[in-house]
Amino acid sequence: MAAQKKAVVGPLVGAVVQGTNSTRFLVFNSKTADLLSHHQVELTQEFPKEGWVEQDPKEILQSVHECIDRTCQKLAELSVDVSNIKAIGVSNQRETTVIWDKLTGEPLYNAVAWLDLRTQPTVESLSKKIPGNNNFVKSKTGLPLSTYFSAVKLRWILDNVRHVQKAVEEGRALFGTIDSWLIWSLTGGVNGGVHGTDVTNASRTMLFNIHSLEWDKELCDFFEIPMDILPNVWSSSEIYGLMKAGALEGVPISGCLGDQSAALVGQMCFQEGQAKNTYGTGCFLLYNTGRKCVFSERGLLTTVAYKLGRDKPACYALEGSVAIAGAVIRWLRDNLGIIETSEEIEILAKDVGTSYGCYFVPAFSGLYGPYWEPSARGIICGLTQFTSKNHIAFAALESVCFQTREILDAMNRDCGIPLSHLQVDGGMTNNKILMQLQADILHIPVMKPAMTETTALGAAMAAGAAEGVGVWSLKPEDLSVIIMERFEPQIKATESEIRYATWKKAVMKSMGWATTESESSDPALFSSLPLGFFIVGSMIMLIGARYISGIPY
């Protein structure tokens, strides 16, 4: 029997997208930007104590191998020769901190996730050491001192895990964000793996000077982080090393971007003044400020957007960061059991079309931008006996939109030129109720690309455009036209403002719930309680009362 003829396609580029909830590998045609195939693996998160969020670095690495292998199998079934894959880009959840043994290749501790809150006492202690008239940390990094960023997570590990301290003392320890761990492992690990990161991920550690684009000794001394455990810093688009195993052995890894920067590139927001909002585990609005750092007066971050080549200039962005977006849907599924799949929330919300005065502030990890308030905790308010799980589902979707409105308002005031529309991407944008709600609450059009995998596309573009690869042109005339779906506001501006004002009242009520003392006073009591325990308790009492009364819930 004659061998099956392989399909003829142009040069292909693969993209690893390592997120908080899942890992994906996607393969694109570099000439058309068409997505050929992909595979996704969902990940587990561990919550050892209240406010702690961890992941297993080995599970993350294994998920990458599985996604690459399965995608290559799918391509073979489509008669596509995987030898056409000329480069691989990596995009990753940012800030999540990994430390491992370079002699054994084994993680020395679980990855401490970006959402983790255990470092609040560390933050409070460090904040007392920053002169009031010279916040050198923010001026050098563009970031507020917060549990969100890597330096305080690494400081906590070094202070509390003796075998990590020992590994550092013996020169065996390496630190990195998820991109560093993956690239080191995929390029050989203990057998010559490359230890590095790109400027976008480095800019989220709080150890990196965003002006000089290098690790900063004053910052490392302040956080007491030894500089010899830090990765080398690269641009976002250059050959870092070659895959050393698997179906894509020998293929260069030549693109690396933090997930939000990758989405900015994938949305082709290369011009100053262009912006995008990504709806994932959290929600992140990035506004391209070009080659200049713009510092916010309203709770936004200044960050490196991308540097697409070793000799290319760095571009910067203002960023509005929301901790809980898609994570609230997962919480409704996994903690409350209101839904069995994430997709069901759209059906529940559509059935009622309103929250009926119910407001949900999902401050599970405190509030990020524009408040940066670690004492906040999640609340559901405005409940009545009429409130059903449908209304709570609707309120959960609204909460994502209200949080976006808050950071968009801050961004409009910082930049002086209000956005006329909002470009969006991410898995949640498949929810049409959410997109319409977002247009209504912002009262500007929302533009969703037909191909929503913009984070993967951005990583692939960076990899394919790297010097020595050169299969993807980033010249404006060569970029693919993005087909957009447009959602127009359908409610009056006055109604939007009334709902937004009520949301802000709910936000105020969420603040001041947690203190360092109250959270650490009785760990034996609280460490086993699921996230949002007290909200759940009040809801159970409400549902129980209605059940006893014979009222359906």
Side-chain angles (χ1 to χ4, degrees), residues 368-385:
Y368 283 15
Y371 300 101
W372 297 105
E373 181 49 69
S375 73
R377 287 297 178 269
I379 64 168
I380 301 176
C381 54
L383 297 172
T384 70
Q385 283 192 312

mmCIF file with all atom_site columns, all heavy atoms in Angstrom, residues 368-385:
data_model
loop_
_atom_site.group_PDB
_atom_site.id
_atom_site.type_symbol
_atom_site.label_atom_id
_atom_site.label_alt_id
_atom_site.label_comp_id
_atom_site.label_asym_id
_atom_site.label_entity_id
_atom_site.label_seq_id
_atom_site.pdbx_PDB_ins_code
_atom_site.Cartn_x
_atom_site.Cartn_y
_atom_site.Cartn_z
_atom_site.occupancy
_atom_site.B_iso_or_equiv
_atom_site.pdbx_formal_charge
_atom_site.auth_seq_id
_atom_site.auth_comp_id
_atom_site.auth_asym_id
_atom_site.auth_atom_id
_atom_site.pdbx_PDB_model_num
ATOM 1   N N   . TYR A 1 368 ? -6.640  43.668 43.554 1.00 0.00 ? 368 TYR A N   1
ATOM 2   C CA  . TYR A 1 368 ? -5.494  44.185 42.805 1.00 0.00 ? 368 TYR A CA  1
ATOM 3   C C   . TYR A 1 368 ? -5.865  45.590 42.297 1.00 0.00 ? 368 TYR A C   1
ATOM 4   O O   . TYR A 1 368 ? -6.482  46.363 42.994 1.00 0.00 ? 368 TYR A O   1
ATOM 5   C CB  . TYR A 1 368 ? -5.143  43.227 41.672 1.00 0.00 ? 368 TYR A CB  1
ATOM 6   C CG  . TYR A 1 368 ? -4.385  41.976 42.095 1.00 0.00 ? 368 TYR A CG  1
ATOM 7   C CD1 . TYR A 1 368 ? -4.298  41.579 43.433 1.00 0.00 ? 368 TYR A CD1 1
ATOM 8   C CD2 . TYR A 1 368 ? -3.748  41.186 41.163 1.00 0.00 ? 368 TYR A CD2 1
ATOM 9   C CE1 . TYR A 1 368 ? -3.612  40.445 43.805 1.00 0.00 ? 368 TYR A CE1 1
ATOM 10  C CE2 . TYR A 1 368 ? -3.047  40.032 41.530 1.00 0.00 ? 368 TYR A CE2 1
ATOM 11  C CZ  . TYR A 1 368 ? -2.984  39.667 42.850 1.00 0.00 ? 368 TYR A CZ  1
ATOM 12  O OH  . TYR A 1 368 ? -2.296  38.528 43.218 1.00 0.00 ? 368 TYR A OH  1
ATOM 13  N N   . GLY A 1 369 ? -5.459  45.920 41.051 1.00 0.00 ? 369 GLY A N   1
ATOM 14  C CA  . GLY A 1 369 ? -5.706  47.257 40.547 1.00 0.00 ? 369 GLY A CA  1
ATOM 15  C C   . GLY A 1 369 ? -7.196  47.585 40.495 1.00 0.00 ? 369 GLY A C   1
ATOM 16  O O   . GLY A 1 369 ? -8.007  46.707 40.234 1.00 0.00 ? 369 GLY A O   1
ATOM 17  N N   . PRO A 1 370 ? -7.543  48.864 40.720 1.00 0.00 ? 370 PRO A N   1
ATOM 18  C CA  . PRO A 1 370 ? -6.651  49.981 41.052 1.00 0.00 ? 370 PRO A CA  1
ATOM 19  C C   . PRO A 1 370 ? -6.448  50.179 42.552 1.00 0.00 ? 370 PRO A C   1
ATOM 20  O O   . PRO A 1 370 ? -5.824  51.154 42.961 1.00 0.00 ? 370 PRO A O   1
ATOM 21  C CB  . PRO A 1 370 ? -7.410  51.175 40.464 1.00 0.00 ? 370 PRO A CB  1
ATOM 22  C CG  . PRO A 1 370 ? -8.855  50.818 40.634 1.00 0.00 ? 370 PRO A CG  1
ATOM 23  C CD  . PRO A 1 370 ? -8.925  49.320 40.452 1.00 0.00 ? 370 PRO A CD  1
ATOM 24  N N   . TYR A 1 371 ? -6.954  49.249 43.383 1.00 0.00 ? 371 TYR A N   1
ATOM 25  C CA  . TYR A 1 371 ? -6.958  49.467 44.835 1.00 0.00 ? 371 TYR A CA  1
ATOM 26  C C   . TYR A 1 371 ? -5.683  48.987 45.531 1.00 0.00 ? 371 TYR A C   1
ATOM 27  O O   . TYR A 1 371 ? -5.202  49.622 46.463 1.00 0.00 ? 371 TYR A O   1
ATOM 28  C CB  . TYR A 1 371 ? -8.157  48.756 45.473 1.00 0.00 ? 371 TYR A CB  1
ATOM 29  C CG  . TYR A 1 371 ? -9.480  49.227 44.961 1.00 0.00 ? 371 TYR A CG  1
ATOM 30  C CD1 . TYR A 1 371 ? -10.177 48.490 44.002 1.00 0.00 ? 371 TYR A CD1 1
ATOM 31  C CD2 . TYR A 1 371 ? -10.047 50.415 45.406 1.00 0.00 ? 371 TYR A CD2 1
ATOM 32  C CE1 . TYR A 1 371 ? -11.403 48.931 43.514 1.00 0.00 ? 371 TYR A CE1 1
ATOM 33  C CE2 . TYR A 1 371 ? -11.275 50.857 44.931 1.00 0.00 ? 371 TYR A CE2 1
ATOM 34  C CZ  . TYR A 1 371 ? -11.944 50.105 43.987 1.00 0.00 ? 371 TYR A CZ  1
ATOM 35  O OH  . TYR A 1 371 ? -13.140 50.541 43.518 1.00 0.00 ? 371 TYR A OH  1
ATOM 36  N N   . TRP A 1 372 ? -5.181  47.808 45.138 1.00 0.00 ? 372 TRP A N   1
ATOM 37  C CA  . TRP A 1 372 ? -4.057  47.159 45.821 1.00 0.00 ? 372 TRP A CA  1
ATOM 38  C C   . TRP A 1 372 ? -4.341  47.096 47.325 1.00 0.00 ? 372 TRP A C   1
ATOM 39  O O   . TRP A 1 372 ? -3.591  47.592 48.148 1.00 0.00 ? 372 TRP A O   1
ATOM 40  C CB  . TRP A 1 372 ? -2.730  47.861 45.497 1.00 0.00 ? 372 TRP A CB  1
ATOM 41  C CG  . TRP A 1 372 ? -2.457  47.748 44.034 1.00 0.00 ? 372 TRP A CG  1
ATOM 42  C CD1 . TRP A 1 372 ? -2.589  48.719 43.096 1.00 0.00 ? 372 TRP A CD1 1
ATOM 43  C CD2 . TRP A 1 372 ? -2.086  46.558 43.327 1.00 0.00 ? 372 TRP A CD2 1
ATOM 44  N NE1 . TRP A 1 372 ? -2.309  48.221 41.844 1.00 0.00 ? 372 TRP A NE1 1
ATOM 45  C CE2 . TRP A 1 372 ? -1.995  46.891 41.960 1.00 0.00 ? 372 TRP A CE2 1
ATOM 46  C CE3 . TRP A 1 372 ? -1.796  45.232 43.720 1.00 0.00 ? 372 TRP A CE3 1
ATOM 47  C CZ2 . TRP A 1 372 ? -1.659  45.957 40.972 1.00 0.00 ? 372 TRP A CZ2 1
ATOM 48  C CZ3 . TRP A 1 372 ? -1.463  44.315 42.743 1.00 0.00 ? 372 TRP A CZ3 1
ATOM 49  C CH2 . TRP A 1 372 ? -1.399  44.667 41.387 1.00 0.00 ? 372 TRP A CH2 1
ATOM 50  N N   . GLU A 1 373 ? -5.462  46.429 47.624 1.00 0.00 ? 373 GLU A N   1
ATOM 51  C CA  . GLU A 1 373 ? -5.938  46.344 49.001 1.00 0.00 ? 373 GLU A CA  1
ATOM 52  C C   . GLU A 1 373 ? -5.924  44.878 49.461 1.00 0.00 ? 373 GLU A C   1
ATOM 53  O O   . GLU A 1 373 ? -6.843  44.109 49.165 1.00 0.00 ? 373 GLU A O   1
ATOM 54  C CB  . GLU A 1 373 ? -7.346  46.919 49.094 1.00 0.00 ? 373 GLU A CB  1
ATOM 55  C CG  . GLU A 1 373 ? -7.935  46.904 50.501 1.00 0.00 ? 373 GLU A CG  1
ATOM 56  C CD  . GLU A 1 373 ? -6.987  47.479 51.528 1.00 0.00 ? 373 GLU A CD  1
ATOM 57  O OE1 . GLU A 1 373 ? -6.736  48.696 51.493 1.00 0.00 ? 373 GLU A OE1 1
ATOM 58  O OE2 . GLU A 1 373 ? -6.476  46.697 52.358 1.00 0.00 ? 373 GLU A OE2 1
ATOM 59  N N   . PRO A 1 374 ? -4.876  44.461 50.187 1.00 0.00 ? 374 PRO A N   1
ATOM 60  C CA  . PRO A 1 374 ? -4.774  43.052 50.582 1.00 0.00 ? 374 PRO A CA  1
ATOM 61  C C   . PRO A 1 374 ? -5.786  42.638 51.642 1.00 0.00 ? 374 PRO A C   1
ATOM 62  O O   . PRO A 1 374 ? -6.021  41.440 51.835 1.00 0.00 ? 374 PRO A O   1
ATOM 63  C CB  . PRO A 1 374 ? -3.345  42.942 51.124 1.00 0.00 ? 374 PRO A CB  1
ATOM 64  C CG  . PRO A 1 374 ? -2.986  44.327 51.560 1.00 0.00 ? 374 PRO A CG  1
ATOM 65  C CD  . PRO A 1 374 ? -3.696  45.241 50.613 1.00 0.00 ? 374 PRO A CD  1
ATOM 66  N N   . SER A 1 375 ? -6.407  43.601 52.334 1.00 0.00 ? 375 SER A N   1
ATOM 67  C CA  . SER A 1 375 ? -7.348  43.244 53.399 1.00 0.00 ? 375 SER A CA  1
ATOM 68  C C   . SER A 1 375 ? -8.728  42.864 52.873 1.00 0.00 ? 375 SER A C   1
ATOM 69  O O   . SER A 1 375 ? -9.573  42.384 53.627 1.00 0.00 ? 375 SER A O   1
ATOM 70  C CB  . SER A 1 375 ? -7.499  44.416 54.373 1.00 0.00 ? 375 SER A CB  1
ATOM 71  O OG  . SER A 1 375 ? -8.259  45.465 53.784 1.00 0.00 ? 375 SER A OG  1
ATOM 72  N N   . ALA A 1 376 ? -8.975  43.104 51.589 1.00 0.00 ? 376 ALA A N   1
ATOM 73  C CA  . ALA A 1 376 ? -10.302 42.787 51.031 1.00 0.00 ? 376 ALA A CA  1
ATOM 74  C C   . ALA A 1 376 ? -10.499 41.274 50.929 1.00 0.00 ? 376 ALA A C   1
ATOM 75  O O   . ALA A 1 376 ? -9.548  40.517 50.713 1.00 0.00 ? 376 ALA A O   1
ATOM 76  C CB  . ALA A 1 376 ? -10.453 43.430 49.658 1.00 0.00 ? 376 ALA A CB  1
ATOM 77  N N   . ARG A 1 377 ? -11.748 40.861 51.052 1.00 0.00 ? 377 ARG A N   1
ATOM 78  C CA  . ARG A 1 377 ? -12.113 39.459 50.835 1.00 0.00 ? 377 ARG A CA  1
ATOM 79  C C   . ARG A 1 377 ? -13.442 39.408 50.071 1.00 0.00 ? 377 ARG A C   1
ATOM 80  O O   . ARG A 1 377 ? -14.205 40.376 50.057 1.00 0.00 ? 377 ARG A O   1
ATOM 81  C CB  . ARG A 1 377 ? -12.243 38.694 52.161 1.00 0.00 ? 377 ARG A CB  1
ATOM 82  C CG  . ARG A 1 377 ? -10.909 38.396 52.833 1.00 0.00 ? 377 ARG A CG  1
ATOM 83  C CD  . ARG A 1 377 ? -10.033 37.479 51.990 1.00 0.00 ? 377 ARG A CD  1
ATOM 84  N NE  . ARG A 1 377 ? -8.734  37.241 52.609 1.00 0.00 ? 377 ARG A NE  1
ATOM 85  C CZ  . ARG A 1 377 ? -7.657  37.963 52.392 1.00 0.00 ? 377 ARG A CZ  1
ATOM 86  N NH1 . ARG A 1 377 ? -7.725  39.029 51.607 1.00 0.00 ? 377 ARG A NH1 1
ATOM 87  N NH2 . ARG A 1 377 ? -6.509  37.674 52.964 1.00 0.00 ? 377 ARG A NH2 1
ATOM 88  N N   . GLY A 1 378 ? -13.708 38.258 49.461 1.00 0.00 ? 378 GLY A N   1
ATOM 89  C CA  . GLY A 1 378 ? -14.878 38.125 48.616 1.00 0.00 ? 378 GLY A CA  1
ATOM 90  C C   . GLY A 1 378 ? -16.179 38.271 49.392 1.00 0.00 ? 378 GLY A C   1
ATOM 91  O O   . GLY A 1 378 ? -16.311 37.758 50.498 1.00 0.00 ? 378 GLY A O   1
ATOM 92  N N   . ILE A 1 379 ? -17.127 38.984 48.791 1.00 0.00 ? 379 ILE A N   1
ATOM 93  C CA  . ILE A 1 379 ? -18.462 39.098 49.381 1.00 0.00 ? 379 ILE A CA  1
ATOM 94  C C   . ILE A 1 379 ? -19.517 38.964 48.288 1.00 0.00 ? 379 ILE A C   1
ATOM 95  O O   . ILE A 1 379 ? -19.286 39.304 47.137 1.00 0.00 ? 379 ILE A O   1
ATOM 96  C CB  . ILE A 1 379 ? -18.672 40.423 50.137 1.00 0.00 ? 379 ILE A CB  1
ATOM 97  C CG1 . ILE A 1 379 ? -18.604 41.619 49.184 1.00 0.00 ? 379 ILE A CG1 1
ATOM 98  C CG2 . ILE A 1 379 ? -17.673 40.581 51.271 1.00 0.00 ? 379 ILE A CG2 1
ATOM 99  C CD1 . ILE A 1 379 ? -19.091 42.922 49.819 1.00 0.00 ? 379 ILE A CD1 1
ATOM 100 N N   . ILE A 1 380 ? -20.672 38.433 48.691 1.00 0.00 ? 380 ILE A N   1
ATOM 101 C CA  . ILE A 1 380 ? -21.876 38.477 47.859 1.00 0.00 ? 380 ILE A CA  1
ATOM 102 C C   . ILE A 1 380 ? -22.908 39.237 48.664 1.00 0.00 ? 380 ILE A C   1
ATOM 103 O O   . ILE A 1 380 ? -23.228 38.850 49.791 1.00 0.00 ? 380 ILE A O   1
ATOM 104 C CB  . ILE A 1 380 ? -22.398 37.072 47.513 1.00 0.00 ? 380 ILE A CB  1
ATOM 105 C CG1 . ILE A 1 380 ? -21.329 36.269 46.777 1.00 0.00 ? 380 ILE A CG1 1
ATOM 106 C CG2 . ILE A 1 380 ? -23.659 37.161 46.655 1.00 0.00 ? 380 ILE A CG2 1
ATOM 107 C CD1 . ILE A 1 380 ? -21.732 34.834 46.486 1.00 0.00 ? 380 ILE A CD1 1
ATOM 108 N N   . CYS A 1 381 ? -23.412 40.349 48.133 1.00 0.00 ? 381 CYS A N   1
ATOM 109 C CA  . CYS A 1 381 ? -24.357 41.152 48.889 1.00 0.00 ? 381 CYS A CA  1
ATOM 110 C C   . CYS A 1 381 ? -25.576 41.471 48.031 1.00 0.00 ? 381 CYS A C   1
ATOM 111 O O   . CYS A 1 381 ? -25.578 41.248 46.828 1.00 0.00 ? 381 CYS A O   1
ATOM 112 C CB  . CYS A 1 381 ? -23.704 42.422 49.409 1.00 0.00 ? 381 CYS A CB  1
ATOM 113 S SG  . CYS A 1 381 ? -22.904 43.430 48.162 1.00 0.00 ? 381 CYS A SG  1
ATOM 114 N N   . GLY A 1 382 ? -26.609 41.977 48.706 1.00 0.00 ? 382 GLY A N   1
ATOM 115 C CA  . GLY A 1 382 ? -27.866 42.241 48.021 1.00 0.00 ? 382 GLY A CA  1
ATOM 116 C C   . GLY A 1 382 ? -28.741 41.009 47.887 1.00 0.00 ? 382 GLY A C   1
ATOM 117 O O   . GLY A 1 382 ? -29.659 40.975 47.061 1.00 0.00 ? 382 GLY A O   1
ATOM 118 N N   . LEU A 1 383 ? -28.464 39.980 48.703 1.00 0.00 ? 383 LEU A N   1
ATOM 119 C CA  . LEU A 1 383 ? -29.250 38.744 48.629 1.00 0.00 ? 383 LEU A CA  1
ATOM 120 C C   . LEU A 1 383 ? -30.643 38.947 49.214 1.00 0.00 ? 383 LEU A C   1
ATOM 121 O O   . LEU A 1 383 ? -30.809 39.635 50.222 1.00 0.00 ? 383 LEU A O   1
ATOM 122 C CB  . LEU A 1 383 ? -28.547 37.625 49.401 1.00 0.00 ? 383 LEU A CB  1
ATOM 123 C CG  . LEU A 1 383 ? -27.178 37.169 48.898 1.00 0.00 ? 383 LEU A CG  1
ATOM 124 C CD1 . LEU A 1 383 ? -26.539 36.207 49.895 1.00 0.00 ? 383 LEU A CD1 1
ATOM 125 C CD2 . LEU A 1 383 ? -27.301 36.504 47.542 1.00 0.00 ? 383 LEU A CD2 1
ATOM 126 N N   . THR A 1 384 ? -31.634 38.339 48.581 1.00 0.00 ? 384 THR A N   1
ATOM 127 C CA  . THR A 1 384 ? -32.991 38.277 49.121 1.00 0.00 ? 384 THR A CA  1
ATOM 128 C C   . THR A 1 384 ? -33.464 36.829 48.986 1.00 0.00 ? 384 THR A C   1
ATOM 129 O O   . THR A 1 384 ? -32.772 35.985 48.422 1.00 0.00 ? 384 THR A O   1
ATOM 130 C CB  . THR A 1 384 ? -33.964 39.194 48.352 1.00 0.00 ? 384 THR A CB  1
ATOM 131 O OG1 . THR A 1 384 ? -34.183 38.637 47.043 1.00 0.00 ? 384 THR A OG1 1
ATOM 132 C CG2 . THR A 1 384 ? -33.402 40.604 48.213 1.00 0.00 ? 384 THR A CG2 1
ATOM 133 N N   . GLN A 1 385 ? -34.678 36.568 49.488 1.00 0.00 ? 385 GLN A N   1
ATOM 134 C CA  . GLN A 1 385 ? -35.210 35.213 49.336 1.00 0.00 ? 385 GLN A CA  1
ATOM 135 C C   . GLN A 1 385 ? -35.482 34.872 47.877 1.00 0.00 ? 385 GLN A C   1
ATOM 136 O O   . GLN A 1 385 ? -35.609 33.697 47.526 1.00 0.00 ? 385 GLN A O   1
ATOM 137 C CB  . GLN A 1 385 ? -36.491 35.053 50.164 1.00 0.00 ? 385 GLN A CB  1
ATOM 138 C CG  . GLN A 1 385 ? -36.217 34.875 51.644 1.00 0.00 ? 385 GLN A CG  1
ATOM 139 C CD  . GLN A 1 385 ? -37.454 34.428 52.391 1.00 0.00 ? 385 GLN A CD  1
ATOM 140 O OE1 . GLN A 1 385 ? -38.522 35.004 52.217 1.00 0.00 ? 385 GLN A OE1 1
ATOM 141 N NE2 . GLN A 1 385 ? -37.319 33.407 53.213 1.00 0.00 ? 385 GLN A NE2 1
#
